[in-house]
Amino acid sequence: MSGEVRLAFHKPRLLLVSESDDVGCSAIAHFAEDFEVVRVPDSIRALAMLAKEDFAGVFVAGGYAKEAMTVGGLLQNDRILQGMPDGVVLLDSDNTILWGNGRLKEWFGRESVLGANFYAVLGSPEILGPDFCPFHTALATGAPSGSTLRSTDNRYYRIHAAPVFETEGPPRNLVVTIRDVTTEVLQQQKLANIHAAGIELANLTAEELQSMTVEDRKELLKSDILRYTQDLLNFDVVEIRLLDERTGRLEPLVYEGILPEAANRVLYPRSQGNGVTGFVAATGKSYICEDTTHDPLYLEGCAGAKSSLTVPLVLHDEVIGTFNVESPVPRAFSEEDKQFLEIFSRDVAVAINTLELLVVEKVNSAVKSVEAIHSAVALPIDEILNDAVKIMERYIGHEPEVTERMQRVLRNARDIKQVIQKVGQKMTPTEALPQATGAVDRAELRGLRILVADADANVRIQSHNLLERYGCIVETAHDGGEAICMVDNLGPGASYDVIITDIHLPDMNGYKLLCALNEKLEHVPIIYMVGFGYDPDHVVVNTRRAGYRPELLSKPFMLDRLLVAVEQTVSQAPPVG
């Protein structure tokens, strides 16, 4: 008897796939003499069993050819999936792992993950979305779903769950892929933190601007740059130089860990004889010095430095200085480090410009500080105005509450410009503004409300810079449709004194805009901007045939011609009343 028991125990095992109990029992009876038969109802369970236990063969009950193909396909694909860098698992409706390609076992140091709860294997991670129940969603809808998970050790995983459809009924199983995206997510977070730090460099309130001298602001900026460079970028040896346009030298602004003789070294923006700093300033290209002992450009900056990274400080496509970091380790800087430092340096350049470090010796610092801030916010505020009037056009007459809120947005956005101008007037009297900016006073321009419509952002920002210097209130639009919306929603009793438009806007030409505005306004004080005298649509001719004689400005326009055109257009306006 004991021999028979041992003989039965060593029978080869056969996996039987059969949904029907009757068919299954018949098959078990047929194979029982030669095999130990284990029955499962479907191919999914078969794959899970094959992943955990050894079988001499798989038998799919008669009439289930599709099941046979499924099991065969899964067994064939199993070898492919084992080689994938991503984790792949098969889950049941309880999130139990029925099969896996081995990645989760490797990642989490487990002997086996089969039979374990998926979330338990990952250490009960936090679900960050966008779908906070991805597995339930995939089973309930029959459509794939995904989300991002964060584990307790601050690793990030992106999962994608796809339902497995069987012959009949709703899906009961999921194929889930898991990708470790920790590096990608942490890089995005670092980029966001660097950009936020860059914005904070010049984030001073009006009161702070009034109470701080230029030197105070300069020292604050220097300390903030150094702090963020060390805390966020983990660079301890730092040197920032600014180009002095008067002398042509690259003068040191910030230096930490740099030898005194190196900080006092006279450097020019030249590709030869001025070290890596001079080369970067001359070419506008970032430079990684992987080994200082073998780099002909490198000049000693930090004692014992073995590698360095230098990027240009760029403002409006012009190099205004350099940002250099060094390390005692050879090849310490990667392309990723270069990317991070380039992003931070752009914000540093903007902050330097905003806080007047480049022009403090040339003009009144208070006036220029206000102008720099206003220049930085002019186009973003115009974007707010453009979006707000579009929303008002959509909801006016339908959603009074939305319309009222948008009107408040318009008022508040326009008030921002007024606040900046008032701060400037407090810091420097209005009558001193023309002298401080080198402009001749034109009192007749002060307070004029001007709308500029042009697809070119450079034209819009130049209009702000030139006209607001003389006290004009400038707003801009990208195309004719936005210009019409801005006119419609300027506010009760308000109007534009001058409308300056390119003759070829993205959605219409200048003549069509004039016709549209003519239906809304008794008088259209319009000025046309033309490029190189080219007018294929005969905008100017058609306008004159209609009885209008608009002023014409050639682009790029000269300041004096712009001012004269505005003054003449205003003088031709019909008298009020």
Side-chain angles (χ1 to χ4, degrees):
M1 184 69 177
S2 59
E4 293 177 0
V5 171
R6 284 197 299 274
L7 183 62
F9 182 79
H10 291 289
K11 284 182 180 181
R13 304 180 76 211
L14 179 69
L15 184 62
L16 171 65
V17 182
S18 173
E19 290 186 353
S20 170
D21 290 337
D22 294 338
V23 176
C25 291
S26 175
I28 291 173
H30 179 75
F31 292 109
E33 184 176 345
D34 299 313
F35 296 93
E36 178 186 348
V37 181
V38 178
R39 188 180 75 85
V40 292
D42 52 50
S43 58
I44 300 297
R45 306 293 173 182
L47 183 62
M49 291 294 292
L50 289 168
K52 294 189 296 184
E53 304 177 26
D54 294 327
F55 291 90
V58 179
F59 180 81
V60 180
Y64 295 94
K66 186 175 181 180
E67 290 286 348
M69 293 175 65
T70 301
V71 174
L74 288 172
L75 290 173
Q76 183 179 9
N77 291 335
D78 176 75
R79 294 184 178 181
I80 299 174
L81 294 174
Q82 295 292 345
M84 287 183 62
D86 295 344
V88 183
V89 295
L90 183 69
L91 303 184
D92 64 13
S93 57
D94 295 324
N95 300 336
T96 300
I97 300 176
L98 304 177
W99 173 89
N101 70 338
R103 288 292 170 268
L104 292 188
K105 185 173 64 173
E106 295 174 8
W107 291 346
F108 296 97
R110 296 175 62 119
E111 292 185 3
S112 175
V113 297
L114 302 180
N117 180 272
F118 175 83
Y119 289 119
V121 170
L122 270 67
S124 300
E126 179 184 0
I127 302 177
L128 303 179
D131 191 336
F132 292 92
C133 298
F135 299 157
H136 173 77
T137 299
L139 288 176
T141 64
S145 184
S147 193
T148 299
L149 311 179
R150 179 171 60 199
S151 64
T152 53
D153 59 350
N154 204 39
R155 299 200 66 82
Y156 293 82
Y157 301 93
R158 192 159 293 144
I159 61 172
H160 179 272
V164 178
F165 292 96
E166 302 174 33
T167 53
E168 296 180 359
R172 295 175 294 175
N173 303 97
L174 297 170
V175 173
V176 180
T177 58
I178 310 98
R179 173 169 297 179
D180 189 334
V181 293
T182 303
T183 301
E184 175 186 338
V185 172
L186 293 181
Q187 183 179 22
Q188 292 174 348
Q189 291 178 349
K190 188 172 182 178
L191 286 172
N193 291 336
I194 289 172
H195 187 56
I199 293 174
E200 285 298 315
L201 288 175
N203 188 19
L204 297 176
T205 65
E207 290 77 11
E208 289 172 323
L209 285 173
Q210 287 181 282
S211 62
M212 297 175 66
T213 66
V214 172
E215 287 304 316
D216 289 338
R217 282 179 267 154
K218 183 176 180 178
E219 291 304 314
L220 176 62
L221 177 60
K222 288 165 62 175
S223 64
D224 284 345
I225 290 173
L226 186 59
R227 175 166 57 88
Y228 287 132
T229 303
Q230 293 173 334
D231 293 347
L232 290 178
L233 299 173
N234 300 315
F235 301 146
D236 294 323
V237 179
V238 181
E239 181 189 42
I240 297 177
R241 288 179 178 249
L242 295 180
L243 177 61
D244 186 327
E245 294 183 357
R246 182 174 54 84
T247 64
R249 294 179 181 178
L250 291 164
E251 301 291 353
L253 171 69
V254 177
Y255 49 93
E256 179 74 15
I258 299 294
L259 293 170
E261 55 268 30
N264 294 324
R265 183 183 291 133
V266 176
L267 296 176
Y268 293 89
R270 298 170 186 167
S271 57
Q272 298 292 330
N274 287 267
V276 174
T277 295
F279 175 84
V280 170
T283 63
K285 297 178 180 179
S286 299
Y287 190 94
I288 297 178
C289 174
E290 296 188 338
D291 188 343
T292 60
T293 60
H294 295 91
D295 195 308
L297 286 178
Y298 180 78
L299 298 176
E300 186 181 32
C302 167
K306 295 295 189 294
S307 58
S308 70
L309 166 62
T310 309
V311 304
L313 291 176
V314 180
L315 183 70
H316 304 319
D317 297 327
E318 293 186 7
V319 177
I320 64 170
T322 57
F323 198 135
N324 175 60
V325 294
E326 304 196 4
S327 171
V329 179
R331 298 174 180 82
F333 302 104
S334 64
E335 286 296 319
E336 184 178 285
D337 292 324
K338 179 166 76 74
Q339 178 189 18
F340 287 144
L341 191 58
E342 286 174 340
I343 291 172
F344 186 56
S345 70
R346 287 198 293 268
D347 291 322
V348 169
V350 171
I352 290 172
N353 181 67
T354 303
L355 296 183
E356 298 303 300
L357 300 185
L358 300 179
V359 294
V360 64
E361 296 179 357
K362 296 181 179 179
V363 294
N364 182 285
S365 61
V367 175
K368 285 297 179 179
S369 293
V370 174
E371 284 188 352
I373 296 170
H374 191 278
S375 177
V377 302
L379 288 189
I381 290 179
D382 284 349
E383 296 286 348
I384 295 173
L385 296 175
N386 297 154
D387 291 340
V389 295
K390 288 178 181 177
I391 294 173
M392 286 181 63
E393 288 287 322
R394 181 180 302 174
Y395 286 96
I396 193 166
H398 302 286
E399 295 285 348
E401 183 179 352
V402 173
T403 302
E404 183 180 348
R405 289 186 178 183
M406 287 302 101
Q407 289 172 340
R408 286 202 300 270
V409 169
L410 288 173
R411 288 195 299 270
N412 292 336
R414 285 172 170 137
D415 285 346
I416 292 175
K417 295 182 181 180
Q418 302 303 313
V419 169
I420 295 174
Q421 289 180 348
K422 288 179 181 178
V423 170
Q425 291 171 3
K426 289 181 179 179
M427 297 173 70
T428 304
T430 304
E431 53 269 23
L433 289 175
Q435 297 177 356
T437 59
V440 177
D441 187 18
R442 292 179 182 251
E444 63 273 20
L445 296 179
R446 195 172 301 155
L448 291 181
R449 188 178 293 274
I450 300 175
L451 176 64
V452 179
D454 198 298
D456 189 340
N458 290 327
V459 172
R460 299 197 303 274
I461 192 61
Q462 189 179 16
S463 300
H464 275 290
N465 292 339
L466 296 178
L467 292 171
E468 288 175 346
R469 183 184 304 174
Y470 296 87
C472 298
I473 302 169
V474 179
E475 296 175 357
T476 67
H478 299 75
D479 55 36
E482 281 188 356
I484 294 170
C485 288
M486 294 289 285
V487 170
D488 286 341
N489 295 281
L490 188 55
S495 62
Y496 290 107
D497 298 291
V498 179
I499 298 173
I500 305 175
T501 179
D502 186 57
I503 62 171
H504 298 295
L505 296 169
D507 56 346
M508 65 181 71
N509 62 42
Y511 176 67
K512 291 184 178 179
L513 175 60
L514 173 62
C515 294
L517 293 176
N518 193 43
E519 296 178 359
K520 301 172 178 293
L521 306 173
E522 293 183 6
H523 170 71
V524 184
I526 200 163
I527 296 175
Y528 282 156
M529 292 183 288
V530 296
F532 308 106
Y534 185 58
D535 185 13
D537 295 333
H538 307 294
V539 172
V540 176
V541 173
N542 290 333
T543 301
R544 287 175 174 168
R545 284 177 179 172
Y548 288 88
R549 293 292 183 270
E551 294 292 324
L552 301 180
L553 286 174
S554 296
K555 291 196 303 182
F557 41 71
M558 302 297 292
L559 174 60
D560 288 342
R561 181 70 190 97
L562 171 64
L563 299 178
V564 169
V566 170
E567 289 171 342
Q568 290 183 351
T569 301
V570 172
S571 67
Q572 295 169 4
V576 179

